[in-house]
Amino acid sequence: VEVSAVTPDSKFAVTGTFDLAPNEYRQYSSMLKSLGLDTAYNTRVTVRVIDGDGKVSAYASVVDQKTQDPNYVKAQ
């Protein structure tokens, strides 16, 4: 799976690849940090299959630092 992230002030995407087995679910505590974007915000992320016949789906979850309220961010 290829994950690309573009921050609002950039014209270029930061890209990383991750191996997933069939029907594998994986959660990252910070996908943006794993791509080297430690302080990024309002970032557009795309996910796509680059090898094999599978499909991939993605979502994000965010926890408000002040209230500790969780938020689910569905893929568009």
Side-chain angles (χ1 to χ4, degrees):
V1 173
E2 179 183 81
V3 178
S4 299
V6 179
T7 58
D9 58 346
S10 178
K11 294 182 181 179
F12 302 98
V14 175
T15 303
T17 58
F18 302 89
D19 292 327
L20 295 176
N23 298 313
E24 181 179 352
Y25 170 86
R26 191 173 303 173
Q27 180 173 333
Y28 292 91
S29 60
S30 179
M31 175 60 71
L32 295 178
K33 281 186 181 180
S34 69
L35 293 173
L37 300 172
D38 293 348
T39 60
Y41 64 94
N42 197 25
T43 303
R44 179 176 296 262
V45 177
T46 59
V47 180
R48 69 184 184 117
V49 175
I50 56 173
D51 188 22
D53 296 329
K55 294 182 181 183
V56 66
S57 179
Y59 71 91
S61 61
V62 180
V63 177
D64 186 290
Q65 291 181 358
K66 196 173 198 178
T67 65
Q68 299 301 307
D69 292 332
N71 292 299
Y72 168 78
V73 183
K74 67 178 183 173
Q76 297 180 4

